[in-house]
Amino acid sequence: MEVKAENGTIRLNKAVQDALLFTGILRPDAKLPTPEAAQAKRVLQSLQDYPPLKLDKGQTAVSNPVTNTFGLLQPSQKGSDVSFNTNESLERPGKPRTKVERLGVRATINQTVDQIPTARNNPNKLDARYTFSPIQDMKDVNKALDRGLDIRDVNQRATAYDRMTKGAFKAYPKYTEGHNLPEWIGYGERIDQTRWQPRDAKGRYGKYVNFDPTEPVKQLGKIAAQFGVVKYVPQIGKIVQALQTVDDLAEAAFGVRPSQKIVEEQQKQVSKTVSKRPDYNLGPILPF
């Protein structure tokens, strides 16, 4: 992209273009966002409109009608007990979901997960342990029957949680005398904002895993910004307070990290020929 400045024509590379668009120096093309971008913006807005709420008895809940997801965090003897499902029932929704819908569900679930305290930087000595129990349902039974599998080994929820959290939420079957089917249970501890330590099947702590609960929000931000919704900046919460700088926010929205020095230099060169827009009020950081 080239722009005309007082001292001639300036060629801007992609990173600088994104940075300048982000800071409001350049105006994006006047075009309507694609349906996917508009949907991503609606989901991002819903994450702000329906943040986690503190309830009685130390419980925290998230209920988002846009993503149709409910999450609950409640204290237990083994730390925070995490659960989530659709707003209507415990039944898993059928496929397919669009990419944006899937990211919206993950982002809402992660709003719940992000309320778990960290073991480090924990002046109030809050319990950083967590536990969860992915239940089996008729979809697991049908899958086992269709594929000739042992129903005791099939738990699609457990598989999904393990995958989406990069192993932080890994559950194992626990057999109880007198019961044909096991209860699936997972345990672990949150070490810091993005580091988790799950337990194995015998209750022993395993290796640390890196899991960033804000990753779905960052992906939604990229989708919303990619198609002309560049003026929207997601407010992603306490875990990413460091993203309040222009560089970090640009990285979250566009996948690039232009230096402030470059941005300021380009501001000087194009300010006389390109209209400026007012700064955006990002508002408060939500408890995400």
Side-chain angles (χ1 to χ4, degrees):
M1 176 182 180
E2 293 183 350
V3 295
K4 291 184 179 180
E6 190 174 14
N7 57 348
T9 300
I10 303 170
R11 180 176 295 276
L12 306 180
N13 63 31
K14 181 64 165 61
V16 173
Q17 290 179 46
D18 287 341
L20 297 178
L21 282 169
F22 186 84
T23 53
I25 302 166
L26 296 178
R27 290 184 179 276
D29 294 335
K31 61 181 180 181
L32 294 175
T34 65
E36 185 180 44
Q39 185 183 30
K41 183 177 179 180
R42 286 195 297 272
V43 171
L44 287 167
Q45 185 63 51
S46 76
L47 297 175
Q48 300 176 56
D49 294 340
Y50 304 99
L53 299 176
K54 299 294 184 181
L55 306 179
D56 295 337
K57 300 179 181 179
Q59 297 179 332
T60 301
V62 175
S63 183
N64 189 322
V66 176
T67 63
N68 190 30
T69 304
F70 173 81
L72 179 65
L73 201 72
Q74 49 189 343
S76 73
Q77 293 181 348
K78 295 185 178 181
S80 300
D81 185 82
V82 187
S83 61
F84 29 83
N85 49 267
T86 66
N87 278 322
E88 288 87 5
S89 69
L90 294 177
E91 291 295 322
R92 280 182 288 152
K95 291 183 178 181
R97 290 183 181 274
T98 66
K99 179 180 180 180
V100 170
E101 287 176 325
R102 291 194 299 271
L103 287 171
V105 171
R106 288 175 56 193
T108 308
I109 290 173
N110 287 2
Q111 279 186 310
T112 308
V113 170
D114 194 33
Q115 300 304 303
I116 299 172
T118 60
R120 297 178 182 173
N121 299 321
N122 187 351
N124 295 325
K125 305 298 181 182
L126 300 175
D127 195 342
R129 297 175 303 162
Y130 57 90
T131 181
F132 67 105
S133 299
I135 62 174
Q136 292 176 292
D137 57 23
M138 285 305 301
K139 292 183 180 180
D140 293 319
V141 174
N142 293 334
K143 180 178 179 179
L145 293 174
D146 291 343
R147 302 188 182 185
L149 303 174
D150 189 333
I151 179 57
R152 294 173 296 182
D153 299 329
V154 179
N155 189 320
Q156 296 174 83
R157 279 188 173 93
T159 301
Y161 301 163
D162 184 17
R163 182 183 67 252
M164 290 189 300
T165 63
K166 300 181 179 179
F169 280 66
K170 189 175 185 65
Y172 299 92
K174 181 180 179 181
Y175 294 90
T176 304
E177 186 177 353
H179 293 79
N180 294 327
L181 294 178
E183 179 184 11
W184 288 71
I185 303 177
Y187 303 100
E189 184 176 25
R190 186 179 190 180
I191 306 304
D192 56 30
Q193 301 289 22
T194 59
R195 189 177 302 178
W196 308 70
Q197 190 175 23
R199 290 179 182 262
D200 63 16
K202 295 183 179 181
R204 300 169 301 193
Y205 278 113
K207 296 181 179 180
Y208 290 162
V209 298
N210 290 316
F211 161 53
D212 181 0
T214 68
E215 185 59 35
V217 177
K218 295 176 184 177
Q219 294 185 46
L220 287 166
K222 291 179 182 179
I223 294 172
Q226 187 176 358
F227 301 101
V229 198
V230 295
K231 67 180 182 179
Y232 185 83
V233 181
Q235 300 175 25
I236 18 189
K238 66 172 186 179
I239 192 174
V240 282
Q241 288 179 356
L243 295 190
Q244 294 177 73
T245 65
V246 171
D247 276 359
D248 283 333
L249 284 169
E251 183 181 35
F254 299 99
V256 296
R257 188 181 178 84
S259 71
Q260 187 63 38
K261 183 176 181 181
I262 293 177
V263 173
E264 292 173 353
E265 180 63 24
Q266 294 295 348
Q267 282 180 324
K268 295 177 183 178
Q269 297 187 52
V270 302
S271 60
K272 293 185 178 181
T273 57
V274 183
S275 299
K276 292 184 178 180
R277 292 181 294 176
D279 293 337
Y280 297 110
N281 178 13
L282 299 184
I285 296 296
L286 298 178
F288 177 74

